[in-house]
Amino acid sequence: MSYLKQYAKITPPRVLAGGFALIIAIGTFLLSLPIASTNGQRLPFIDALFTATSATCVTGLAVLDTGVHLTRFGQIVLLIMVQMGGIGFMTMATWFAIALKKRVSLQERLILKESLNQINMDGIIRLIVRVFIYSVTIEGTAALYFIMRWSKEMPLGKAVYFGIFHSVSIFNNAGFELFGGFRSLTPFVNDFGINIVSILLIVLGGIGFIVISDLLEYPKTRKLSLHSKVVLSATGILTLVAAVGIFIFEFTNPRTLGALSWDSKILASVFQSVTLRSAGVNTVDIAELRGATQFLMIIMMFIGAAPGSTGGGIKLTTFAILVAALVTMIRGKEDVVLFRYRMSGSDVYKAITLALIGVFMLVSTTMLLSVFQNNDFMMIMFESASAFGTVGLSMGLTGELTFASKLIIIFMMYVGRIGLVTLAFALQPKPKKELYRHPEGKIIIG
């Protein structure tokens, strides 16, 4: 009984895990209503649950064609879940509290700190206000460009709706689109403006509000935090590596980059590289990519985006610490150093733990899906990595998932969004301090 009382204690990680689950439940109910479906009938429960989870966890994997099977009501419900899932439900709740001039309690500040991956609570409310301003400004600016661009091809009212929907979806790295046929942005592979605006939205959503705030403050402070330096460096390096890899592997592939001009080849390579951070939109057919490219994408999706962003995966900072630890070991040194700052032993252990848990989950999910799906192994692993990284790219497997496979992917999307650390702390009881230490042992390694 005492264990149950201890486990039932409300903690920030449990509030976050429960809050996302509640949003998914409400979204599932709303999407199950006949008014949400274009045929006037209720969606199958598993499809409504899958769609609600994918939206709330800003993944973008879709068993339903958003632009075809969902009504305007269903699409707006989807978009609200994307916005709440992207910036966090606690952030939105705090916006309303601030607007109503209500006091934000200490418990609520602790939850906000957890949801934004902050080290401490200093300036947390100021950051929340900035998140609101950044989100409205970035999404609004991009929406205006999309509206002007698409008003040339469709009625103004439809262009406004499409502009707002896709701006919110892409900035929150959700990947849902309304063009129909699961085409994503492939019709615009040669459109420089749409590509560049989408890339900026993806990058800004993927680096997180903490880094955006740091960048905007830089002209005044003339310095960046260690977190921002690591995130920006890792983002730049991984984007360049993936873009070069995609360009080389797909250069002669007539079904992807082969038929494009030189500038379009480069643009498409960069776009596909950037979208791997967690966006889920694509300008070339993912199923037509070569195996080497698809495997490169799996690695990048597994790494994911930055902490405090709209993306999943093991996170960029985790990967950076692992690489730094590898370099330290090879050089025979003791301290893991990034930008002349020594990483604590606990941070290194945490990074290793997260990476190992991530590998375990990816392998386990791939094995389980292989039991329920009679599909190509690469296709199955790609789907698993996409769900874990909340990326939303697919080689076409999503629409073929069985009932059991949908449940597995739903769980992976949920874990990928709330984060491995949050889930671990939400499930475990309050740890007790050990009153003794074991004697040190020696084993042979390597």
Side-chain angles (χ1 to χ4, degrees):
M1 183 65 69
S2 60
Y3 176 84
L4 292 176
K5 287 182 179 180
Q6 187 182 43
Y7 183 82
K9 183 180 178 182
I10 300 299
T11 61
R14 287 172 190 165
V15 171
L16 290 176
F20 274 102
L22 179 61
I23 295 172
I24 291 170
I26 294 172
T28 301
F29 169 74
L30 293 175
L31 291 177
S32 297
L33 298 175
I35 193 176
S37 177
T38 51
N39 62 11
Q41 299 178 356
R42 288 182 176 273
L43 293 175
F45 172 78
I46 188 63
D47 289 346
L49 176 61
F50 190 101
T51 305
T53 304
S54 185
T56 305
C57 299
V58 288
T59 305
L61 290 174
V63 291
L64 302 169
D65 193 331
T66 309
V68 176
H69 295 116
L70 293 182
T71 61
R72 187 64 56 86
F73 171 82
Q75 292 168 1
I76 291 174
V77 168
L78 192 78
L79 197 63
I80 292 172
M81 286 190 290
V82 165
Q83 187 73 81
M84 293 185 71
I87 64 174
F89 68 94
M90 276 303 300
T91 302
M92 294 195 73
T94 306
W95 289 351
F96 286 113
I98 294 172
L100 297 173
K101 297 183 179 180
K102 290 189 175 182
R103 181 176 174 274
V104 181
S105 68
L106 177 62
Q107 177 72 6
E108 290 167 339
R109 290 170 188 260
L110 286 169
I111 297 170
L112 287 169
K113 179 178 80 72
E114 186 76 23
S115 65
L116 292 172
N117 289 87
Q118 289 286 282
I119 297 172
N120 53 57
M121 290 187 294
D122 294 342
I124 192 71
I125 301 303
R126 286 198 303 273
L127 180 59
I128 293 300
V129 174
R130 288 175 180 175
V131 167
F132 174 76
I133 296 171
Y134 299 158
S135 299
V136 171
T137 303
I138 294 169
E139 291 175 351
T141 304
L144 283 175
Y145 175 80
F146 287 146
I147 291 168
M148 290 188 294
R149 168 64 180 80
W150 287 326
S151 61
K152 301 174 183 178
E153 302 176 358
M154 58 184 72
L156 181 60
K158 186 177 180 181
V160 170
Y161 180 65
F162 268 50
I164 294 173
F165 186 98
H166 291 93
S167 176
V168 173
S169 177
I170 296 173
F171 174 66
N172 287 286
N173 285 197
F176 289 100
E177 45 80 23
L178 301 177
F179 296 104
F182 296 104
R183 295 179 298 164
S184 192
L185 297 181
T186 53
F188 308 103
V189 64
N190 293 306
D191 193 305
F192 184 80
I194 288 180
N195 276 261
I196 294 301
V197 172
S198 298
I199 286 172
L200 290 174
L201 283 173
I202 296 166
V203 170
L204 291 172
I207 62 178
F209 295 107
I210 303 166
V211 179
I212 295 175
S213 180
D214 251 12
L215 289 173
L216 291 176
E217 290 290 323
Y218 181 77
K220 190 189 305 181
T221 61
R222 288 297 171 182
K223 64 178 182 179
L224 294 174
S225 66
L226 175 62
H227 171 81
S228 295
K229 289 179 180 178
V230 172
V231 168
L232 291 172
S233 299
T235 298
I237 293 171
L238 290 176
T239 299
L240 179 61
V241 169
V244 172
I246 292 169
F247 183 83
I248 293 173
F249 294 146
E250 298 298 320
F251 183 81
T252 57
N253 187 346
R255 297 182 298 276
T256 55
L257 302 186
L260 303 178
S261 62
W262 265 90
D263 55 344
S264 292
K265 279 183 170 71
I266 295 172
L267 185 63
S269 299
V270 173
F271 190 97
Q272 263 56 237
S273 173
V274 170
T275 199
L276 295 174
R277 291 280 67 78
S278 189
V281 286
N282 53 283
T283 57
V284 298
D285 191 342
I286 302 299
E288 298 295 343
L289 295 170
R290 287 172 173 153
T293 309
Q294 293 166 349
F295 191 71
L296 174 63
M297 286 183 158
I298 289 173
I299 296 171
M300 294 297 168
M301 290 190 293
F302 176 77
I303 294 171
S309 72
T310 56
I314 63 171
K315 308 300 186 188
L316 289 169
T317 47
T318 301
F319 177 74
I321 291 176
L322 290 176
V323 172
L326 175 64
V327 172
T328 299
M329 181 64 68
I330 292 174
R331 290 182 175 179
K333 297 184 178 181
E334 292 185 2
D335 293 335
V336 177
V337 178
L338 284 169
F339 290 97
R340 298 184 180 179
Y341 283 92
R342 174 174 52 84
M343 299 294 101
S344 67
S346 61
D347 283 344
V348 177
Y349 290 141
K350 185 177 178 180
I352 294 172
T353 302
L354 287 176
L356 289 176
I357 294 175
V359 170
F360 173 77
M361 293 197 66
L362 178 61
V363 171
S364 299
T365 303
T366 304
M367 289 176 65
L368 286 173
L369 289 179
S370 297
V371 174
F372 299 108
Q373 297 292 145
N374 186 25
N375 295 91
D376 180 71
F377 181 78
M378 182 72 79
M379 182 181 286
I380 293 173
M381 179 176 278
F382 194 98
E383 195 84 5
S384 302
S386 182
F388 176 69
T390 67
V391 178
L393 296 176
S394 178
M395 293 171 60
L397 179 62
T398 312
E400 302 177 17
L401 294 174
T402 64
F403 184 88
S405 297
K406 288 177 182 177
L407 290 177
I408 294 169
I409 294 296
I410 286 170
F411 177 74
M412 280 292 279
M413 291 190 292
Y414 177 72
V415 172
R417 179 61 187 97
I418 66 172
L420 295 170
V421 175
T422 300
L423 181 64
F425 281 122
L427 294 177
Q428 74 174 14
K430 185 178 179 181
K432 293 181 179 179
K433 186 176 180 180
E434 293 185 352
L435 302 178
Y436 60 90
R437 295 183 70 187
H438 293 283
E440 183 178 304
K442 299 289 185 181
I443 61 173
I444 300 172
I445 299 176

